[in-house]
Every structure is written in C-alpha cells, then in structure tokens.
Amino acid sequence: MARYYFDILDGAQGVRDDEGAELNSLDAAVQVAARSAAEIGQGRLARGETSDVVVEVRDERSQRVCTIRASMEIEWHVSRSQGRHPWSA
C-alpha cells in the first residue's frame, strides 16, 4: 500500500492535504480524487458556482502523479427569470 495526498486547488488559494490516505494503487487514488472533485463540484453547483474543481494527487515523495479537473458549464437556452431550478438553495 502507498500513501497518496489530495490537494484541492481553487484559484489563487488551495488546500494542501497533509494527512493523505493509504491506497492499494494509483488507480484507486485517481478514483478517490475523481469522486472528491465530483462532490466538491456538486456543492458548488448547489450554490450557483460553476468554476472548475482541480484535485492534484501526490505520492509519498510529494511528487505530483496526476491532476483531476472537473468542469461544469451551464448553457442557458431560456430566460433565467422563468423560475428556480432544483439545485437552487
């Protein structure tokens, strides 16, 4: 098992993961990072934000091994004044 770290990048600021998680493989780390990016994106979408979510995965030597980027874009085809949307808080 190897330890992987998941840093969340958010514009000029970010959150560095100093704890990490022990996982069986790099593929498992990618799955964890992808799920994290999706969960963060879902929370942002609920607040009406559509900025990219970026998770950088580092190994035990603090070397970046991959970057996960989840992008969301809302393309409106109707006037926004037509009512609230299910994800609106």
Side-chain angles (χ1 to χ4, degrees), residues 12-83:
Q13 60 182 346
V15 178
R16 182 178 172 92
D17 177 9
D18 291 324
E19 185 176 322
E22 285 193 3
L23 300 165
N24 290 326
S25 66
L26 178 55
D27 286 339
V30 169
Q31 290 178 12
V32 168
R35 278 195 304 272
S36 296
E39 289 172 8
I40 294 166
Q42 184 178 18
R44 287 183 181 180
L45 187 59
R47 295 187 303 272
E49 301 173 24
T50 58
S51 59
D52 288 357
V53 177
V54 179
V55 180
E56 285 191 343
V57 181
R58 292 181 289 115
D59 65 12
E60 294 171 327
R61 297 180 316 272
S62 203
Q63 298 294 312
R64 286 187 303 164
V65 292
C66 72
T67 301
I68 304 293
R69 179 182 307 272
S71 299
M72 294 173 287
E73 179 180 343
I74 298 173
E75 186 174 324
W76 294 99
H77 300 285
V78 296
S79 170
R80 292 184 71 183
S81 63
Q82 291 186 355

